[in-house]
Amino acid sequence: MIKKIEYLIYGINYLFQTKIFRREIPFIGGLIINEKCNLKCKHCKVSNRKIPDLSYKDIERGLRIFYDKGIRSVFIEGGEPFLWKEDGRNLDDVIKLARDIGFKVVSIYTNGTFPIRTSADTVFVSLDGLKETNDELRGKIYDKVMNNIKESSHPSIMINYTINQENHQDIEKFCEEIKGIRKIKGVFFYFHTPYYGKDKLFLNLKEKRAIIKRIFNLKKKKHKILNSNACLKGVYKDKWERPSKICFVYADNKLYQCCRAYGNDDVCKNCGYLGYPEIIYILKLRPSAIYSALSYLPTN
Ligand code: SF4
């Protein structure tokens, strides 16, 4: 609860600075600490390109760049961030460093194949469908990931489900499946982004709109869906502004606005990373986006 209040105070101050004093301050930073991964997902070509991990010093540099820009919420991601190691240091040392620098919320994105023991405030675990579909897309890991989630004592675990041409049929049953899993706070739906061109997983806007209508139906039935109505409507109307100025990414010792695809208009036009419009609508003070954020913000 204390953490939630602290974050709300920060949010109000941020809005003062940006709306009243018209300062341009980004809101969130994504720190890609490694590209190494233990999986070979169908949709991902980032991992295992033999790009060296960021060193602890590089990580500190990236975090300080974010901090100096005014960012106070950071996502630590990979590759698979649990694989990051240096001289006896591991992911938790990176999280501690972020906190020591002054970040208020530190989140991680993981593929969930390692035990979920972490001091991060929130944990986002990727699963892309029911067992059969997920394992076809991501390798035979579904049972292990679900087990790790159920055995974790972490209080804030959420699923990231990236919808594509091969797994959209599962969304209703997946929502049913997680209903009874107490450890899962909810699911965030994203759409496949064609970073490498329009492949067979690609969904066009008409197809995405039909899926959004299905997500609205699921929300009416009180399933644990974390995408807000405001965000889903913005995506349905294809109205959210992108690329965004509120997010930065630090990877391979470079700073990128929005993400590494910045500047590729076709990719941005088809961007399915719904985490960004979610933040945009929170900052526009849309009640449903704020309400949704309160349900997944860390509590202690
Ligand atoms: S694809 Fe474009 S809009 Fe989407 S996150 Fe990357 S830069 Fe931003």
Side-chain angles (χ1 to χ4, degrees):
M1 194 63 185
I2 293 166
K3 191 107 199 184
K4 247 184 198 176
I5 293 168
E6 201 184 296
Y7 206 59
L8 276 177
I9 293 168
Y10 164 68
I12 292 164
N13 182 42
Y14 177 88
L15 288 170
F16 250 105
Q17 298 290 333
T18 52
K19 304 248 183 242
I20 311 285
F21 298 115
R22 301 263 160 217
R23 296 204 175 112
E24 214 169 76
I25 309 171
F27 192 74
I28 201 150
L31 182 73
I32 300 177
I33 58 173
N34 63 355
E35 312 241 354
K36 223 180 272 154
C37 189
N38 53 326
L39 303 183
K40 285 190 183 119
C41 302
K42 263 193 183 175
H43 53 272
C44 177
K45 295 191 178 71
V46 168
S47 60
N48 300 316
R49 289 184 300 176
K50 301 210 164 49
I51 293 178
D53 296 359
L54 290 191
S55 68
Y56 189 73
K57 271 205 156 27
D58 297 334
I59 289 171
E60 181 169 4
R61 189 180 312 123
L63 287 169
R64 290 204 185 277
I65 291 172
F66 284 163
Y67 191 86
D68 291 346
K69 280 186 161 296
I71 294 170
R72 297 294 180 268
S73 178
V74 67
F75 282 82
I76 297 171
E77 46 191 316
E80 170 47 49
F82 274 109
L83 288 173
W84 185 91
K85 305 265 182 296
E86 185 187 284
D87 299 336
R89 289 187 172 120
N90 62 23
L91 178 58
D92 255 5
D93 295 291
V94 175
I95 294 164
K96 183 176 179 307
L97 175 66
R99 287 230 175 79
D100 289 347
I101 290 175
F103 289 91
K104 297 193 182 301
V105 177
V106 185
S107 307
I108 59 164
Y109 283 173
T110 173
N111 62 31
T113 57
F114 295 94
I116 305 171
R117 287 185 217 115
T118 171
S119 57
D121 296 302
T122 51
V123 180
F124 292 87
V125 178
S126 301
L127 273 177
D128 291 339
L130 294 166
K131 180 175 170 168
E132 198 183 322
T133 315
N134 176 79
D135 288 358
E136 182 58 35
L137 288 163
R138 304 179 66 85
K140 293 198 181 310
I141 53 156
Y142 189 88
D143 289 339
K144 188 175 193 180
V145 174
M146 277 298 189
N147 232 20
N148 285 339
I149 290 173
K150 288 174 189 167
E151 283 180 3
S152 174
S153 59
H154 197 284
S156 190
I157 298 178
M158 287 152 281
I159 302 293
N160 280 346
Y161 183 135
T162 303
I163 304 172
N164 62 43
Q165 202 63 257
E166 292 184 9
N167 68 4
H168 71 85
Q169 75 284 351
D170 281 3
I171 61 174
E172 283 83 1
K173 283 189 180 149
F174 186 83
C175 287
E176 274 302 327
E177 177 138 328
I178 63 166
K179 217 176 184 174
I181 304 175
R182 201 180 42 84
K183 289 293 330 172
I184 298 176
K185 271 196 162 180
V187 54
F188 254 117
F189 288 114
Y190 296 79
F191 286 113
H192 174 68
T193 301
Y195 292 114
Y196 321 106
K198 290 177 188 158
D199 53 13
K200 59 181 186 154
L201 300 178
F202 177 71
L203 292 158
N204 63 35
L205 185 59
K206 197 173 160 209
E207 291 166 321
K208 284 184 195 169
R209 283 179 169 154
I211 293 166
I212 290 171
K213 283 187 183 164
R214 287 164 55 200
I215 298 175
F216 272 125
N217 270 335
L218 288 164
K219 283 184 65 121
K220 277 187 202 142
K221 292 178 187 158
K222 304 280 176 227
H223 282 288
K224 295 192 280 187
I225 296 172
L226 299 168
N227 307 77
S228 67
N229 287 356
C231 174
L232 290 170
K233 276 183 198 157
V235 177
Y236 185 91
K237 291 181 185 157
D238 198 20
K239 259 190 147 176
W240 64 284
E241 309 97 49
R242 56 202 190 267
S244 172
K245 287 181 183 162
I246 56 165
C247 315
F248 278 81
V249 163
Y250 190 80
D252 40 85
N253 283 312
K254 286 186 214 107
L255 185 70
Y256 301 85
Q257 185 183 318
C258 211
C259 93
R260 284 186 278 189
Y262 183 84
N264 186 332
D265 294 348
D266 201 42
V267 177
C268 292
K269 186 169 172 279
N270 294 294
C271 178
Y273 186 66
L274 303 197
Y276 286 172
E278 200 60 56
I279 299 165
I280 290 171
Y281 288 105
I282 293 170
L283 299 177
K284 284 188 176 192
L285 300 179
R286 296 297 159 83
S288 68
I290 295 170
Y291 179 78
S292 179
L294 288 175
S295 70
Y296 54 81
L297 272 178
T299 49
N300 48 37

